[in-house]
Amino acid sequence: MEYTSEIRKATDPIYKKISKAMPEIEWSIHAPYIYKINELKKKKNAVILAHNYQTPEIYHGISDFSADSLALAIEASKTKADLIIMCGVHFMAETAKLMNPNKKVLLPDMRAGCSLSSSITGEDVRNLKKKYPNVPVVSYVNTSADVKAETDICCTSANAVKIVNSLGVKKVIFLPDDYLAKYVASQTNVEIISWKGTCEVHEKFTDEEINEIRKNNPGLKVIAHPECPPDVIKASDFTGSTSGMIKYVKDNQPEKVMMVTECSMSDNVQIDNPDVKFIKPCNLCPHMKRITLPKILECLENETNEIVMSDEVIKKARKSVERMTKIGR
Ligand code: 13P
Ligand code: SF4
């Protein structure tokens, strides 16, 4: 697609914002897509929701709402748009569909999965419930709709501790992230029965790596996502969901910060916080990175890659997400 003078003029306000993080040669490739997507989404009354791990051209260029998975689920339940495009991974698009069973929800690449979501099936949850009768099931939102259908209440990294405490019980089954389960267990007196899932991005970080980077960067603030291993969380100054981490940077304006999470998030947050220096240990989520501007345009033009689920699954799975959104952050 050609980078015409009309496109340059129309997209210039967006480029001004991100120009420090992106050379003009790269922008000239993205801009025609950004222009076309923004025109088309108005025409079709579509909303583009993007997770914080999307690349800057998506996060700053075309997204109507960028956030963590809790806010994306809440926003999906409120939207007046006819069409929802989820720039994120499959479980996020499914969650948006659960909140909007009568709307079309599209995912630009159906292969955008998640190692946590694929670590457990509905059948696994049914077996756990047999093994631990009457113990409530709390599932991370990073699960399939089939797993959510077997779940009492969902949670995200932003509200996991609050959700577990809200149940007023002594023991819960907490699925599927073993590291998030360990983090929750460290913050509550409720006994946690966990599963063996891990995030393939966050499990790669180590406390040695963090301590080494700290040594070379005096005054560095280290903020970590709770999907990281316990040693990494211990070596950090703050732990929170992706939006919690963004808020930490915005509110504290540290001189130097390292976000121990998916790499694109630092690029996005740096653009909004030009006075903060970011140290970036770069682990990318291959699933999140499957979403690109050409795929978004194709999906919006042809309305392909629709999320479809049976009414029965929607009815059962929706309850566990709704119960979570009522409790909130
Ligand atoms: P958040 O809910 O913190 O945005 O995290 C989602 C996710 O996939 C993290 O890896
Ligand atoms: Fe899943 Fe980890 Fe990717 Fe998030 S970063 S979508 S938890 S694999």
Side-chain angles (χ1 to χ4, degrees):
M1 265 198 276
E2 213 189 323
Y3 184 40
T4 60
S5 55
E6 187 198 348
I7 291 176
R8 180 197 292 260
K9 209 170 139 206
T11 57
D12 199 48
I14 308 172
Y15 185 55
K16 277 214 174 88
K17 191 173 177 208
I18 68 171
S19 58
K20 278 206 192 94
M22 191 179 287
E24 199 170 356
I25 182 90
E26 191 185 336
W27 178 250
S28 70
I29 298 166
H30 296 315
Y33 288 98
I34 290 175
Y35 177 75
K36 249 192 132 174
I37 291 168
N38 285 337
E39 288 289 297
L40 201 53
K41 79 175 179 194
K42 266 188 258 156
K43 248 193 234 157
K44 291 198 165 192
N45 190 27
V47 67
I48 299 186
L49 306 180
H51 186 259
N52 290 324
Y53 294 161
Q54 292 295 299
T55 49
E57 65 276 13
I58 295 173
Y59 183 98
H60 291 283
I62 56 152
S63 154
D64 297 295
F65 186 78
S66 302
D68 65 1
S69 38
L70 177 62
L72 289 177
I74 294 172
E75 185 65 19
S77 69
K78 292 195 299 207
T79 184
K80 300 253 180 318
D82 298 315
L83 191 59
I84 300 172
I85 314 281
M86 178 57 75
C87 297
V89 292
H90 195 269
F91 76 81
M92 293 175 179
E94 272 192 344
T95 307
K97 179 69 181 177
L98 294 176
M99 305 317 280
N100 293 279
N102 300 321
K103 286 186 180 163
K104 221 181 215 185
V105 177
L106 309 176
L107 178 66
D109 189 324
M110 285 300 207
R111 296 166 304 166
C114 168
S115 64
L116 282 169
S117 183
S118 60
S119 73
I120 189 159
T121 63
E123 165 112 54
D124 292 326
V125 187
R126 284 191 288 278
N127 288 337
L128 278 165
K129 290 203 282 195
K130 270 187 220 144
K131 193 169 167 196
Y132 303 102
N134 303 320
V135 179
V137 177
V138 179
S139 291
Y140 198 24
V141 76
N142 298 38
T143 45
S144 66
D146 286 341
V147 166
K148 290 187 176 82
E150 299 294 336
T151 292
D152 292 292
I153 184 163
C154 283
C155 72
T156 75
S157 58
N159 61 10
V161 177
K162 192 173 173 188
I163 297 281
V164 166
N165 286 335
S166 77
L167 297 174
V169 293
K170 290 208 172 93
K171 204 193 274 188
V172 299
I173 299 170
F174 187 95
L175 310 168
D177 187 348
D178 192 32
Y179 290 148
L180 182 63
K182 287 193 165 76
Y183 174 70
V184 173
S186 75
Q187 307 287 313
T188 175
N189 292 324
V190 179
E191 187 189 331
I192 308 282
I193 299 160
S194 67
W195 186 249
K196 55 187 183 307
T198 50
C199 162
E200 67 186 88
V201 178
H202 291 91
E203 71 178 352
K204 288 197 192 107
F205 294 109
T206 64
D207 55 345
E208 284 106 4
E209 181 189 9
I210 291 174
N211 294 335
E212 192 57 34
I213 296 172
R214 259 200 211 277
K215 243 194 264 160
N216 300 325
N217 290 279
L220 177 70
K221 290 290 176 202
V222 178
I223 60 179
H225 195 276
E227 287 171 13
C228 292
D231 289 351
V232 170
I233 291 181
K234 219 165 135 197
S236 306
D237 300 300
F238 172 81
T239 306
S241 77
T242 55
S243 290
M245 295 165 89
I246 294 173
K247 187 171 177 329
Y248 178 96
V249 174
K250 192 171 165 236
D251 293 351
N252 295 286
Q253 292 290 299
E255 199 187 318
K256 262 190 234 168
V257 74
M258 177 163 75
M259 290 181 146
V260 188
T261 192
E262 213 268 355
C263 193
S264 292
M265 198 164 96
S266 297
D267 297 335
N268 293 329
V269 185
Q270 184 158 45
I271 289 165
D272 290 327
N273 295 274
D275 297 331
V276 177
K277 183 166 184 237
F278 286 76
I279 308 292
K280 299 180 195 169
C282 210
N283 288 345
L284 287 170
C285 172
H287 311 289
M288 289 279 178
K289 299 294 96 102
R290 283 193 184 275
I291 310 299
T292 61
L293 290 173
K295 287 184 199 166
I296 296 165
L297 179 58
E298 138 111 59
C299 178
L300 186 56
E301 266 174 342
N302 304 319
E303 299 188 19
T304 44
N305 293 347
E306 184 177 356
I307 301 290
V308 182
M309 283 178 270
S310 74
D311 291 346
E312 197 196 333
V313 169
I314 290 184
K315 206 170 144 212
K316 281 179 85 183
R318 183 189 161 104
K319 274 193 205 144
S320 59
V321 181
E322 260 177 354
R323 214 175 146 191
M324 166 186 80
T325 55
K326 280 194 188 121
I327 292 179
R329 200 169 286 273

